[in-house]
Amino acid sequence: MLCLGIETSCDETGLALVRDGRLLGQVLRTQEELHAVFGGVVPEIASREHYRCLAPLLDRLLAQTGACVSDIDVVAVARGPGLLGSLLTGMAFAKGLALGAGAKLIGVNHLQAHLLAAGLEQELQFPALGVLVSGGHTNLYLMHSAARMERLGRTLDDAAGEAFDKVAKMLNFPYPGGRHIDRLAQLAEPDVELFPRPYLDNQNLDFSFSGLKTAVAVHLDAHPELRLPMMGEPGAGALDATPENSPLAVVCASLNFAIADTLRVKAQRALSRLPQVRALILAGGVAANTMIRESMAKVAREARTKERNGLAFITPSPGLCTDNGAMIAFAGELLAREGYAHGLDVDGIPRGRAVPLDYAEMPG
Ligand code: KG4
Ligand code: ZN
């Protein structure tokens, strides 16, 4: 089965071809530089850029893989949650292509695709605890299978990625700042008392990261010298010159620790309630973070008790963690194999709304 995946839910235009669970090729156009001047994604610019890039990217993917449009059996497209205009751009393109190629169409839940992405590189195991950390979401799932996932916890306000990006913005780092904080965090030991690990004083599996952002803002107000010069000011772009153990590196390490350790506590709590799970799956853009990967790998190792009979730690390689077309193609193929499909009336789902399980019977 040859499945084309299309990802346009935010500011990456990603297309990929997967055949029988194997990635044949992928193309990715990031819009980061377009949005950087605004310090965040501008939805109207994002949709227009997806529209401009989709067809040339498809041409490039076909040339790269030697495939033809008529070879495609399934067109899988991210249908949400995401920016509605961006989603609709990708979905209109996918619908036209599916109709023209006589292929099946499937609208893929973007979050589900993140959680399944590691399956391109290693075998997935179910049931699993899914830890999804991205720019828009911080969710825990009990993953029964590739198609069936039960949400156990969510963020009540900001997502972990938002906390990284908003603090990075306060420090005048380039957008999106998560990966820069990751890099600087490796230059110092965290001060574990500097920032609170938010929303742990309860028994639930939800998160809240907005207070952490405020704690960093208060610290920066007291220490304005920590902020890098703004774009255009002398000394701007000095991020790469940050020395080891500098106060700025300590702030980055301490913020990273507060986020990583909060995720650790809730993941351990979830595992203690789920003796049946066989794997811990870490996914989403923030899963590329060095400290979080190390901390979650340790959680999985420590949960490998005799009673549990092993617990695999599964996470995509860092390049597959952030938005891409490969994860949509892979998830789409898995779902298509289970007999799921959509009609041309499948809808885009904006952020904040649940993605419905409204699959049609797979014809034929
Ligand atoms: O999954 P993703 O590509 O897009 C959404 O679906 O939201 O996640 C993007 C988020 C951004 O907040 C970005 O700063 C964060 O992932 N991110 C990281 C790292 N790489 C990407 N955060 C921390 N450390 C990283 N290495
Ligand atoms: Zn994403």
Side-chain angles (χ1 to χ4, degrees):
M1 186 184 282
L2 183 65
C3 181
L4 171 73
I6 302 175
E7 159 61 37
T8 62
S9 66
C10 192
D11 61 345
E12 320 276 353
T13 321
L15 286 89
L17 279 169
V18 163
R19 173 176 278 139
D20 303 332
R22 213 170 52 82
L23 182 64
L24 298 187
Q26 68 166 321
V27 287
L28 187 72
R29 151 90 173 115
T30 175
Q31 304 177 2
E32 254 171 49
E33 83 285 358
L34 291 178
H35 302 287
V37 278
F38 302 99
V41 178
V42 182
E44 178 64 21
I45 295 177
S47 328
R48 282 167 188 261
E49 194 61 12
H50 289 309
Y51 182 72
R52 196 178 71 78
C53 292
L54 273 163
L57 282 173
L58 176 64
D59 283 346
R60 203 191 314 156
L61 178 66
L62 294 175
Q64 192 189 95
T65 55
C68 303
V69 166
S70 57
D71 298 336
I72 298 170
D73 301 300
V74 179
V75 177
V77 60
R79 65 171 306 194
L83 299 172
L84 193 57
S86 290
L87 290 167
L88 294 180
T89 308
M91 291 179 76
F93 187 79
K95 288 177 184 182
L97 205 60
L99 203 58
K104 282 156 187 159
L105 175 72
I106 184 150
V108 173
N109 180 332
H110 175 90
L111 305 178
Q112 210 167 340
H114 270 303
L115 286 162
L116 298 174
L120 278 166
E121 300 173 324
Q122 63 186 115
E123 202 186 329
L124 298 176
Q125 295 182 44
F126 301 104
L129 172 68
V131 180
L132 176 83
V133 270
S134 70
H137 296 85
T138 306
N139 295 347
L140 294 182
Y141 294 87
L142 173 54
M143 300 168 64
H144 298 280
S145 68
R148 204 159 69 80
M149 304 185 186
E150 200 180 314
R151 197 179 70 186
L152 305 172
R154 71 197 199 291
T155 180
L156 304 177
D157 41 54
D158 288 357
E162 244 170 308
F164 274 114
D165 293 343
K166 285 179 177 167
V167 168
K169 196 171 174 179
M170 291 181 216
L171 290 166
N172 295 324
F173 289 4
Y175 168 84
R179 64 169 183 268
H180 302 297
I181 293 191
D182 183 356
R183 201 159 43 79
L184 264 58
Q186 293 173 54
L187 300 177
E189 284 300 314
D191 174 351
V192 300
E193 303 292 324
L194 191 56
F195 302 126
R197 295 171 308 159
Y199 202 59
L200 292 183
D201 201 9
N202 54 61
Q203 284 310 307
N204 65 40
L205 298 175
D206 292 329
F207 301 92
S208 163
F209 288 107
S210 67
L212 176 59
K213 183 185 64 189
T214 310
V216 181
V218 169
H219 183 75
L220 294 183
D221 284 347
H223 301 277
E225 72 285 356
L226 287 170
R227 293 191 165 98
L228 291 183
M230 299 248 277
M231 239 194 303
E233 288 177 358
L239 188 65
D240 291 338
T242 308
E244 273 187 41
N245 299 317
S246 62
L248 179 58
V250 173
V251 165
C252 291
S254 308
L255 170 78
N256 206 334
F257 170 80
I259 295 175
D261 215 47
T262 302
L263 294 169
R264 172 191 68 78
V265 170
K266 296 272 167 146
Q268 279 177 332
R269 184 176 298 166
L271 283 176
S272 71
R273 295 174 189 176
L274 301 167
Q276 74 275 34
V277 307
R278 299 174 55 210
L280 191 169
I281 298 182
L282 173 69
V286 179
N289 183 266
T290 314
M291 201 188 289
I292 294 174
R293 290 172 87 83
E294 284 167 3
S295 156
M296 283 296 162
K298 188 155 174 258
V299 167
R301 269 197 312 277
E302 289 175 357
R304 265 172 220 158
T305 54
K306 257 207 208 103
E307 302 76 57
R308 199 187 280 282
N309 196 16
L311 185 94
F313 176 59
I314 298 176
T315 191
S317 53
L320 259 188
C321 287
T322 40
D323 292 348
N324 63 80
M327 66 183 195
I328 305 296
F330 182 72
E333 198 195 19
L334 280 180
L335 294 169
R337 282 191 183 285
E338 293 203 20
Y340 296 110
H342 278 113
L344 287 173
D345 57 349
V346 60
D347 231 354
I349 308 293
R351 241 173 89 170
R353 261 179 53 200
V355 179
L357 295 172
D358 55 359
Y359 300 110
E361 280 290 306
M362 177 80 97

